[in-house]
Amino acid sequence: MLRLPALFTVPGDALAGAAAAGVRPGPRTLLAIGSSLSLYAAGMALNDWADRAEDAVERPHRPIPSGRVRPAAALTAAGTLTGTGLALAAAAGRPALAVATPLAATVWAYDLGLKHTPAGPAAMAAARGLDLLLGAAATAGGTRGGTWSGTRGGTWSGTRGGTWSGTRGGTRSGTRTGARTGTRTGAWDGTRAALPSAALLGSHTLAVTTVSRRETTGGSVAAPLAALAATGVLARLAGHRRTRLPAGRRAAAAPGLPGPGPAGNPPRAGDLLAGALAAAYAATAARPCFHAALNPSPQLTQRAVGAGIRATVPLQAALAARSGATTTSLLVAALAPAGRMFARRAGMRKVSIT
């Protein structure tokens, strides 16, 4: 019911978000990944509960129509997993919870009402984009960006409060103000920096979800063609490494993060890696979409959807490489063969997002 092979496409959201925010992954990133996995699994369980009558006719092999899972158990699992996801986001900090809350609301709105409306694909795309922003907000929320604010707040309070009060009260007040302001500022800057990557990942999800709406009936040529065109555009954008300002020019830049090389040229290795991963993304998604456009049968449409889901991982890796996080991009890319291996061993070759 939880489509376990598809869960391998989830950790890359948070990792790509951390890379786009310009911050190295840390413990808060792991909490964001746990939150993302929980909310994604909650969506899968809730999807089966909401579609149990439809699945009884079109997909009788699914857990609820086949009698392997009771509807009440599926709904309970969805609620429990949602609560777990929000709790993990809260542990990662207020900025992460501020992103996880609308993400959870979008998941439930999609499964309970938006899925069968024209807004369905957009809701799914928004959920995937928010998931990437969750990783950015959680990771950047743990950085220290309030040194200047803390110094001003501490000095001002110490001067007005007198010598004794300034030493005890001014220092403590300044430290608290600086830390709190710095956390919020760092999280906001990191989340804002991750918006372009979130838009690219959301666009891919929009294309795949649009194709998936006809996976049981087939007959759509326009959707696979549109997804094919989107794949080409996204591959080109993801294959060009972003130019990041040095740490002295932008407050959100992390210390030690590789910036532009001499004369403003990015490192050659980063360009090659981003281009190779973008090519892997295009190779995974494009061919099945082309076949589905030539022959929009349910079987080929389902293959195009499955390929689109698998292509999420190399796209996430390309986005991380595009942001200059080489190690993170390679870690994300390694999730693709792991997911395929798990799917083969579990006998779960067909994985759908709807």
Side-chain angles (χ1 to χ4, degrees):
M1 183 175 65
L2 300 182
R3 280 67 143 192
L4 294 181
L7 291 179
F8 284 88
T9 69
V10 177
D13 289 346
L15 292 172
V23 185
R24 292 184 179 89
R28 290 172 182 259
T29 313
L30 294 178
L31 290 172
I33 291 174
S35 176
S36 298
L37 289 169
S38 298
L39 294 176
Y40 191 94
M44 295 295 99
L46 184 63
N47 176 78
D48 276 16
W49 180 84
D51 288 351
R52 60 193 185 279
E54 177 184 334
D55 289 344
V57 177
E58 297 182 351
R59 306 176 184 90
H61 61 279
R62 282 192 169 178
I64 293 179
S66 65
R68 289 173 290 166
V69 177
R70 293 181 295 108
L75 184 59
T76 300
T80 302
L81 287 167
T82 300
T84 301
L86 292 175
L88 290 172
R94 292 182 183 178
L97 182 61
V99 178
T101 300
L103 171 57
T106 302
V107 169
W108 280 73
Y110 173 83
D111 285 333
L112 297 182
L114 297 179
K115 177 180 177 181
H116 299 290
T117 70
M124 184 72 84
R128 184 64 86 163
L130 285 170
D131 202 33
L132 187 146
L133 295 179
L134 172 59
T139 309
T143 60
R144 293 181 178 180
T147 303
W148 184 77
S149 296
T151 302
R152 286 192 67 187
T155 303
W156 185 78
S157 296
T159 302
R160 291 193 65 182
T163 304
W164 181 81
S165 176
T167 302
R168 290 188 64 184
T171 302
R172 291 176 63 187
S173 174
T175 302
R176 290 181 179 177
T177 303
R180 188 174 299 174
T181 304
T183 299
R184 291 179 179 176
T185 302
W188 166 244
D189 287 343
T191 305
R192 183 173 55 185
L195 286 175
S197 292
L200 295 180
L201 187 60
S203 298
H204 168 72
T205 305
L206 176 66
V208 175
T209 308
T210 302
V211 176
S212 73
R213 292 165 75 88
R214 302 295 294 270
E215 65 179 344
T216 59
T217 60
S220 174
V221 176
L225 282 178
L228 184 62
T231 299
V233 173
L234 292 173
R236 180 171 179 80
L237 293 175
H240 286 75
R241 190 172 178 223
R242 295 172 59 192
T243 300
R244 189 181 298 279
L245 291 175
R249 293 280 303 278
R250 197 181 73 180
L257 191 70
N265 294 322
R268 181 67 174 171
D271 283 340
L272 292 176
L273 180 59
L277 291 170
Y281 157 69
T284 303
R287 185 176 179 182
C289 282
F290 180 69
H291 289 166
L294 292 177
N295 179 14
S297 64
Q299 182 180 9
L300 292 180
T301 302
Q302 291 170 13
R303 288 182 181 177
V305 173
I309 296 173
R310 293 191 299 273
T312 303
V313 176
L315 177 58
Q316 294 164 338
L319 293 175
R322 175 176 177 262
S323 300
T326 302
T327 303
T328 300
S329 67
L330 294 175
L331 178 62
V332 174
L335 294 172
R340 288 195 298 268
M341 183 182 301
F342 183 89
R344 286 195 298 267
R345 289 182 177 180
M348 301 172 65
R349 300 298 298 275
K350 294 183 179 180
V351 178
S352 176
I353 57 176
T354 60

